């Protein structure tokens, strides 16, 4: 959490303590065995809970009769029943829907009820459209109803593939008794956090700041004017294990509203005032200290190195999240070290990333049968995952593997990149090129089953393997560690309560070369057999009940994925000729990936962009959402469009990126204080404007924007270039303290600072007809080596529109193009520090020049 927020909240916490001083204090004593490493007691007082970075999604995956089934704990200071208990089992961020479903009552799956959510487009809201709860979507109708009845609002925020959101629905929102309490005493609002991240950000920030924990489902009680009164996350329906149940909480909130309303409202108003002050970060100067970028890169790399796992790769211990921005930082820092002559240090950093990527790809977090990556691993060895698949992971992870291939030239990394992209092409793309959001972790074990279980779609018994694979079964079982009793035994954190007993999550324990040697078999033959086996399993798996697909189209996530498809189209052209691929990799011509990127961008432009106002809408499902585009939508899409142009797309994509940047500056830029807010401020129901800097599962809009501005400044010249650089520097200055002290929280922002500090980016200018095979080859050569500080510009001087654009925006590029055009060939120019090397007409020579290491 931002330290400024914590400092600003000292007075808020003091007020909170005054408010609860008269109530009995409720102490929670945790004892975990390594999962979170928390052994000290914690109380409900906000300052005494672990940091929000530890508890974003955490829940007990397994529980017995002596412990409570969920974290983070709902913390309500007005609850007056003291309780204390101690855990004797690990805490995991994993879920078992079946456990909760067994204890649920009052199900309304028969559709005996229909509420206002039935007319919404969000898959998450539609999941709740037949609850007996009288749900409202976020909007004026709900706010007016709360004011008219003078009752508090119960706000529930989640998303369609959120496991504990499903659990709370089954346990509470389908329960008629709970529904009656909500309907009688509150106005209940349901929000899809993916559709309205602005609303989620306000109340998640409140819960994290006041209670130092958060997650989904997010449960917050508001005054009719939308000020937060108190908040928590998941609640079981009834009091259990010394914990208050949801019905108890509702009664206590009702009592507090009736008898202590003034104190509650005053506290909520004060909380928002303090948050507004803390989150309105401004720069004391619009200049960045000269030494800061390199220091921030070094500090972030050092902090990450301290958490490096030499046994299983990655940073930190269980649960293990990919967090691609960490790998991006380490690769960029290694490049900078190499450029400064510190090759040994660079190799050490690079090896950390490479080993982690190998472990991830061989682990169960990777879907070996169908491709793509699951959300995270519950254990330290990347084996047993939380099986949800998110689009924002796929795009970012692909880019990291593409970078690894560019650096190592090892087709292992190009294979993994293709694996993810082919999964997306097969399962996650709509008929008009739009890319969907997510696949759920839960599914039924068989057709007609009433309960869903996590991972049911993905796990295998040994008998299934034997029956499906026949003569190759033993071979396959050895390779993927298949066991009769199930293989989730590599760590005590994988499956301590035998939920996956008899089930196997595929994991490669040994290298392919070692296994092929053990079987006295050529590696290619070995890989061929494995591919055939995976395809047979895939065909069987396709007949299982599938996890829920969230077919919502989110602009920001599409932007991240447009980038990976565009980059793959040229980087993968550098695979060795004759490279063979095996299922689930298709082995297509890389140019097909470029078509996917263009179609996705075109979908957004035609469906979610207003040509008159130059504004985006945030998402699409059966039509555009009501929510406007947010900072992340603009920033991530601009980044994707810049890649789409630099990797061979038409000038139209660069023009659109420049237009979007102008709109982003108009809507979100703090021209006085620097940096970008996450919202426009036009929707008065969103009571906080936040300048986000944290690079987590998704990078922050400010980090991506800083990189976009640096890239744009090297594409254009003159006053516009200066404008982009000034905004980038001012943005970085806003987060100077963060870069100095907590660089590990902002790895991509550290990269942005490093990129900004380069006095002059290397420019590669390609001149010639763009519809030739030769031009494609030159583009592949220009992108063959890893260099985030390189800009690729391509110009066809015979195209009047192109030439006019460059004459208006960067005249030196136009002059270079006209002076070096040859009708029968492509010419490349490599320029830096206002100097260009001799023209190059051979793609191999261009690739060699760009790959040269500094002397």
């Amino acid at each position: 959490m931002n330290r400024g927020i914590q400092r600003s909240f000292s007075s808020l916490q003091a007020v909170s303590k005054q408010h609860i001083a008269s109530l009995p204090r409720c102490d929670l004593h945790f004892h975990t065995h390594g999962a979170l490493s928390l052994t000290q007691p914690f109380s409900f007082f906000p300052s005494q809970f672990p940091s929000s970075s530890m508890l974003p999604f955490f829940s007990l995956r397994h529980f017995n009769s002596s412990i409570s089934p969920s974290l983070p704990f709902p913390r309500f200071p007005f609850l007056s029943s003291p309780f204390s208990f101690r855990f004797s089992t690990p805490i995991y961020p994993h879920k078992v829907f079946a456990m909760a479903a067994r204890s649920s009552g009052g199900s309304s799956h028969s559709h005996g009820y229909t509420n206002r959510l039935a007319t919404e487009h969000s898959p998450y809201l539609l999941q709740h459209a037949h609850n007996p709860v009288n749900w409202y979507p976020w909007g004026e109708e709900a706010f007016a109803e709360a004011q008219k009845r003078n009752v508090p609002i119960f706000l529930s925020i989640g998303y369609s593939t959120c496991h504990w959101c499903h659990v709370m629905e089954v346990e509470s929102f389908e329960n008629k008794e709970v529904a009656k309490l909500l309907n009688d005493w509150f106005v209940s609002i349901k929000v899809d956090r993916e559709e309205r991240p602005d609303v989620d950000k306000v109340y998640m920030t409140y819960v994290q700041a006041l209670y130092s924990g958060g997650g989904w489902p997010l449960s917050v009680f508001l005054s009719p004017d939308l000020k937060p009164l108190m908040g928590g996350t998941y609640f079981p329906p009834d009091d259990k294990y010394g914990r208050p149940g949801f019905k108890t909480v509702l009664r206590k909130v009702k009592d507090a509203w009736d008898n202590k309303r003034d104190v509650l409202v005053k506290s909520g108003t004060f909380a928002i005032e303090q948050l507004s002050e803390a989150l309105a970060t401004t720069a004391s100067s619009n200049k960045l200290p000269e030494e800061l970028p390199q220091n921030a890169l070094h500090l972030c790399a050092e902090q990450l190195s301290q958490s490096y796992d030499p046994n299983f790769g990655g940073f930190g211990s269980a649960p293990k999240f990919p967090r691609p921005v960490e790998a991006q930082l380490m690769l960029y820092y290694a490049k900078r070290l190499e450029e400064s002559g510190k090759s040994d240090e660079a190799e050490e950093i690079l090896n950390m990333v490479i080993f982690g990527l190998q472990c991830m790809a061989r682990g169960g977090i990777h879907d070996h049968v169908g491709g793509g990556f699951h959300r995270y691993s519950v254990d330290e060895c990347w084996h047993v995952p939380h099986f949800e698949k998110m689009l924002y992971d796929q795009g970012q992870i692909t880019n990291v593997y593409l970078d690894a291939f560019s650096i190592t030239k090892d087709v292992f990394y190009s294979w993994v990149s293709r694996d993810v992209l082919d999964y997306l092409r097969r399962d996650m793309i709509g008929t008009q090129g739009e890319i969907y959001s997510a696949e759920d972790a839960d599914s039924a074990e068989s057709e007609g089953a009433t309960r869903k279980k996590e991972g049911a779609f993905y796990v295998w018994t040994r008998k299934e393997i034997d029956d499906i694979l026949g003569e190759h079964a033993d071979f396959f079982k050895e390779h993927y560690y298949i066991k009769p009793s199930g293989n989730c035994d590599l760590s005590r954190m994988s499956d301590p309560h035998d939920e996956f007993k008899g089930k196997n999550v595929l994991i490669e324990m040994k290298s392919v070369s070692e296994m092929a040697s053990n079987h006295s078999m050529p590696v290619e033959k070995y890989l061929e057999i494995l591919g055939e086996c995976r395809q047979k399993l895939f065909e069987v798996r396709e007949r299982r009940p599938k996890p829920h697909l969230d077919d919502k189209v989110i602009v920001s996530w599409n932007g991240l994925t447009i980038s990976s498809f565009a980059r793959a189209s040229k980087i993968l052209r550098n695979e060795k000729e004759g490279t063979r691929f095996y299922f689930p990799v298709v082995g297509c011509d890389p140019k097909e990936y470029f078509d996917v990127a263009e179609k996705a961008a075109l979908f957004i432009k035609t469906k979610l962009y207003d040509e008159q106002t130059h504004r985006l809408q945030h998402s699409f499902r059966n039509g555009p959402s009501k929510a406007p585009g947010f900072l992340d939508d603009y920033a991530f899409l601009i980044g994707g469009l810049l890649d789409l142009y630099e990797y061979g797309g038409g000038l139209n994509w660069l023009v659109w990126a420049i237009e979007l940047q102008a709109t982003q500056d108009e809507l979100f830029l703090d021209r006085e204080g620097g940096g970008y807010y996450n919202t426009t401020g036009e929707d008065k129901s969103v009571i906080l404007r936040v300048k986000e800097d944290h690079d987590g599962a998704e990078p922050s809009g400010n980090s991506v924007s800083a990189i976009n501005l640096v890239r744009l400044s090297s594409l254009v010249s003159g006053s516009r270039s200066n404008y982009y650089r000034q905004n980038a520097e001012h943005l970085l200055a806003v987060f100077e303290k963060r870069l100095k002290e907590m660089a590990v929280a902002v790895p991509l922002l550290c990269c942005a600072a490093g990129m900004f500090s380069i006095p002059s980016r290397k420019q590669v200018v390609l001149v010639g007809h763009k519809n030739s095979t030769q031009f494609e080859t030159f583009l592949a050569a220009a992108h063959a080596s890893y260099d985030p500080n390189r800009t690729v510009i391509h110009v066809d001087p015979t195209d009047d529109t192109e030439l006019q654009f460059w004459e208006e925006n960067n005249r030196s590029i136009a002059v270079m193009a006209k002076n070096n055009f040859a009708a029968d060939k492509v010419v490349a120019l490599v320029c830096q520090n206002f100097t260009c090397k001799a023209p190059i007409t051979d793609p191999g020579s261009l690739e060699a020049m760009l790959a040269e290491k500094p002397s």
Side-chain angles (χ1 to χ4, degrees):
M1 187 191 304
N2 186 294
R3 292 188 178 186
I5 296 177
Q6 291 177 326
R7 284 195 299 271
S8 297
F9 259 77
S10 58
S11 54
L12 173 59
Q13 292 173 351
V15 169
S16 300
K17 289 184 179 181
Q18 290 174 8
H19 169 53
I20 64 174
S22 60
L23 300 175
R25 174 169 168 163
C26 306
D27 287 325
L28 304 178
H29 299 279
F30 304 167
H31 182 72
T32 73
H33 293 283
L36 290 183
S37 300
L38 306 178
T39 55
Q40 67 272 36
F42 292 88
S43 78
F44 279 166
F45 293 142
S47 62
Q48 293 176 286
F49 250 81
S51 70
S52 61
S53 63
M54 285 182 167
L55 294 174
F57 312 93
F58 284 15
S59 303
L60 271 180
R61 178 177 166 205
H62 308 289
F63 55 93
N64 57 35
S65 60
S66 64
I67 59 175
S68 167
S70 179
L71 269 182
F73 289 93
R75 292 174 288 280
F76 286 78
F78 57 85
L79 293 173
S80 57
S81 301
F83 59 96
S84 176
F85 55 88
R86 184 174 296 275
F87 288 121
S88 58
T89 191
I91 297 174
Y92 301 99
H94 216 306
K95 299 93 175 179
V96 185
F97 186 43
M99 290 186 175
R102 278 198 292 270
S103 63
S104 65
S107 174
S108 63
H109 279 309
S110 61
H111 289 188
Y113 304 89
T114 299
N115 55 52
R116 290 168 176 80
L117 302 185
T119 60
E120 294 296 305
H121 292 169
S122 157
Y124 177 62
L125 299 190
L126 290 172
Q127 287 171 356
H128 294 264
H130 299 289
N131 296 162
V133 177
N134 186 22
W135 290 114
Y136 287 76
W138 182 266
E140 290 300 325
E141 183 185 10
F143 310 152
E145 180 68 11
Q147 291 168 352
K148 174 184 171 184
R149 291 172 52 194
N150 196 23
V151 295
I153 290 168
F154 170 64
L155 174 64
S156 176
I157 302 178
Y159 55 102
S160 72
T161 58
C162 162
H163 175 83
W164 282 102
C165 301
H166 301 331
V167 173
M168 195 163 177
E169 179 192 14
V170 170
E171 291 181 334
S172 293
F173 302 144
E174 292 181 352
N175 184 294
K176 296 176 184 178
E177 182 184 355
V178 172
K180 178 171 173 49
L181 298 180
L182 284 168
N183 296 340
D184 289 350
W185 295 342
F186 304 91
V187 169
S188 298
I189 299 178
K190 178 64 73 172
V191 166
D192 181 343
R193 71 169 293 263
E194 294 171 356
E195 193 175 62
R196 292 304 302 259
D198 54 338
V199 176
D200 177 63
K201 174 61 69 174
V202 171
Y203 299 106
M204 183 61 77
T205 301
Y206 164 80
V207 169
Q208 288 179 327
L210 199 59
Y211 305 122
S212 297
W216 297 278
L218 184 64
S219 304
V220 188
F221 294 90
L222 315 178
S223 63
D225 64 352
L226 309 181
K227 301 296 192 305
L229 306 176
M230 51 206 71
T233 54
Y234 161 82
F235 294 94
D238 300 301
D239 300 351
K240 284 183 181 179
Y241 317 116
R243 289 188 57 199
F246 190 48
K247 287 179 278 189
T248 297
V249 169
L250 294 177
R251 293 186 180 100
K252 293 292 186 179
V253 173
K254 170 71 163 64
D255 179 68
W257 179 255
D258 289 343
N259 299 304
K260 299 180 181 179
R261 185 176 310 178
D262 291 345
V263 176
L264 286 178
V265 172
K266 196 175 295 184
S267 176
T269 301
F270 184 71
I272 290 301
E273 289 172 355
Q274 290 291 300
L275 275 174
S276 297
E277 179 183 329
L279 295 170
T281 311
T282 59
S284 57
S285 167
N286 59 6
K287 296 294 182 183
L288 200 64
E290 187 175 342
E291 73 285 352
L292 181 57
Q294 185 60 28
N295 290 346
L297 284 169
H298 175 76
L299 176 61
C300 189
E302 184 178 54
Q303 291 173 334
L304 285 172
S305 297
Q306 290 170 357
S307 65
Y308 174 65
D309 181 349
N311 296 313
F312 300 105
F315 302 99
S317 188
K320 269 193 177 159
F321 290 79
R323 201 185 177 205
V325 290
E326 295 175 338
Q328 286 179 274
L329 177 284
M330 297 297 266
L331 291 178
Y332 182 72
Y333 185 55
K335 174 74 173 175
R336 292 291 293 267
L337 287 172
E338 184 180 67
E339 290 172 343
S340 63
K342 300 176 180 178
S343 56
D344 290 344
E345 292 179 49
E347 185 176 3
E348 184 180 352
I349 295 292
L350 176 61
N351 287 340
M352 290 184 191
V353 178
I354 293 303
F355 182 59
L357 294 179
Q358 290 173 352
C359 292
M360 278 177 55
R362 291 172 178 153
I365 191 173
H366 175 211
D367 179 2
H368 294 270
V369 170
F373 283 82
H374 300 294
R375 182 72 274 272
Y376 58 83
S377 166
V378 304
D379 51 42
E380 69 276 18
C381 43
W382 301 107
H383 183 201
V384 180
H386 169 41
F387 289 89
E388 177 183 39
K389 288 182 176 179
M390 305 300 297
L391 180 61
Y392 57 76
D393 282 325
Q394 313 308 322
Q396 293 182 89
I397 288 172
T398 299
N399 271 335
V400 173
Y401 278 94
L402 288 171
D403 289 340
F405 171 67
S406 296
I407 294 166
T408 66
K409 306 305 179 188
D410 186 338
V411 293
F412 173 84
Y413 304 103
S414 71
W415 182 88
V416 178
S417 301
R418 286 176 174 271
D419 166 282
V420 179
L421 297 179
D422 290 346
Y423 152 67
L424 292 176
R425 291 175 74 199
R426 186 189 67 235
D427 290 347
M428 298 293 285
I429 294 181
T431 57
Q432 298 179 71
E434 69 276 27
I435 310 178
Y436 299 141
S437 296
E439 287 189 297
D440 206 341
D442 304 333
S443 60
E445 289 188 286
S446 60
E447 290 294 342
T450 57
R451 290 186 285 127
K452 295 181 178 182
K453 288 191 68 175
E454 170 142 21
F457 185 70
Y458 299 100
V459 298
W460 303 91
T461 65
R462 189 186 72 162
K463 184 178 186 305
E464 287 174 321
I465 300 296
D466 287 335
D467 292 345
I468 296 165
L469 300 184
E471 63 174 316
H472 292 312
D474 289 342
F475 177 93
F476 189 88
K477 288 185 294 187
E478 182 184 1
H479 184 86
Y480 285 108
Y481 188 59
I482 305 297
K483 300 171 64 178
S485 59
N487 71 353
C488 301
D489 57 2
L490 294 178
S491 166
R492 62 181 176 78
M493 307 179 78
S494 300
D495 190 30
H497 291 263
D498 295 329
E499 180 207 339
F500 289 124
K501 186 176 182 179
K503 306 289 187 179
N504 293 272
V505 177
L506 303 189
I507 182 172
E508 296 179 285
M509 301 290 288
K510 298 178 181 178
S511 70
V512 167
S513 59
E514 181 181 354
M515 293 293 290
S517 176
N518 291 344
H519 287 269
S520 302
M521 189 181 296
V523 169
E524 285 200 351
K525 181 63 178 176
Y526 185 87
L527 288 171
E528 183 181 332
I529 294 173
L530 283 179
E532 291 171 356
C533 291
R534 289 192 297 263
Q535 186 161 9
K536 289 179 181 178
L537 292 178
F538 176 83
E539 290 166 357
V540 170
R541 198 175 81 171
E542 283 295 283
R543 298 195 289 271
R544 292 175 173 178
K546 292 186 177 180
H548 162 71
L549 170 68
D550 188 330
D551 58 358
K552 181 167 67 268
V553 180
I554 297 175
V555 171
S556 57
W557 299 359
N558 270 247
L560 293 173
T561 313
I562 287 167
S563 168
S564 60
F565 274 107
R567 296 182 73 236
S569 72
K570 299 303 178 292
I571 292 174
L572 296 180
R573 281 177 61 95
N574 294 288
E575 291 166 329
K576 291 179 182 177
E577 190 174 346
T579 298
R580 296 180 61 189
F581 300 100
Y582 308 92
F583 193 88
V585 174
V586 174
C588 66
D589 186 326
K591 69 181 181 183
E592 293 183 25
Y593 295 136
F594 195 85
D595 294 339
V596 174
E598 284 207 308
K599 286 178 181 177
L602 185 61
F603 179 89
I604 293 171
K605 190 163 189 182
T606 55
K607 302 293 186 181
L608 290 165
Y609 181 65
D610 188 321
E611 295 278 2
Q612 302 302 313
T613 63
H614 303 297
R615 292 192 179 197
L616 292 165
Q617 293 299 113
H618 171 64
S619 62
F620 184 99
R621 187 177 185 275
N622 299 327
S625 67
K626 300 170 189 174
F630 304 109
L631 172 63
D632 288 1
D633 296 311
Y634 285 86
F636 296 5
L637 180 58
I638 290 167
L641 293 175
L642 291 178
D643 284 333
L644 199 51
Y645 168 72
E646 288 199 42
Y647 285 79
L651 184 67
N652 57 306
W653 301 122
L654 175 57
V655 171
W656 192 26
I658 291 171
E659 288 177 0
L660 287 171
Q661 187 62 56
T663 305
Q664 178 182 316
D665 291 351
E666 175 191 340
L667 298 177
F668 305 100
L669 180 63
D670 181 354
R671 296 187 185 275
E672 294 297 321
Y676 293 96
Y677 291 104
N678 67 328
T679 62
T680 65
E682 295 170 345
D683 184 346
K684 300 307 177 186
S685 72
V686 182
I687 57 179
L688 277 180
R689 291 185 84 191
V690 178
K691 289 183 188 176
E692 183 68 62
D693 66 348
H694 177 66
D695 297 317
E698 300 172 57
S700 82
N702 273 295
S703 297
V704 175
S705 293
I707 292 173
N708 291 344
L709 291 168
V710 171
R711 294 177 69 183
L712 285 166
S713 72
S714 72
L715 286 160
V716 300
S717 62
S719 60
R720 178 174 281 184
S721 177
N722 292 335
Y723 168 80
Y724 289 143
R725 280 192 63 83
Q726 288 165 4
N727 283 347
E729 184 170 21
H730 201 183
L731 183 161
L732 293 165
V734 170
F735 304 109
E736 178 182 340
K737 188 174 181 63
R738 188 78 136 169
L739 290 166
K740 284 181 177 177
E741 297 178 0
M742 280 295 293
V744 73
V746 290
L748 197 63
L749 195 67
C750 294
C751 292
M755 293 176 193
F756 174 81
S757 70
I758 302 296
S760 175
R761 285 171 68 84
K762 184 179 293 180
Q763 290 181 324
V764 179
V765 183
L766 303 179
V767 181
H769 295 301
K770 296 185 179 180
N771 57 356
S772 67
T773 302
Q774 186 186 27
F775 198 87
E776 288 288 306
T777 304
F778 265 88
L779 275 170
H783 293 291
S785 56
Y786 171 79
D787 188 357
N789 293 318
R790 177 192 303 147
T791 297
V792 177
I793 297 170
H794 42 89
V795 189
D796 183 349
T798 65
D799 185 318
D800 293 340
T801 302
E802 280 202 28
L803 203 57
Q804 181 181 353
F805 172 86
W806 292 111
E807 285 176 343
E808 292 175 355
N809 292 278
N810 193 336
R811 184 162 177 74
S812 64
I813 298 295
V815 171
M816 266 191 279
K818 287 189 286 188
N819 291 346
N820 291 277
F821 176 70
D824 60 343
K825 58 187 174 183
V826 176
V827 177
L829 300 108
V830 178
C831 310
Q832 191 168 21
N833 297 320
F834 310 104
T835 303
C836 295
K837 297 185 178 181
I840 301 170
T841 56
D842 172 61
S845 299
L846 174 63
E847 182 176 339
M849 178 183 289
L850 295 175
E852 285 178 1
K853 296 183 178 181
S855 56

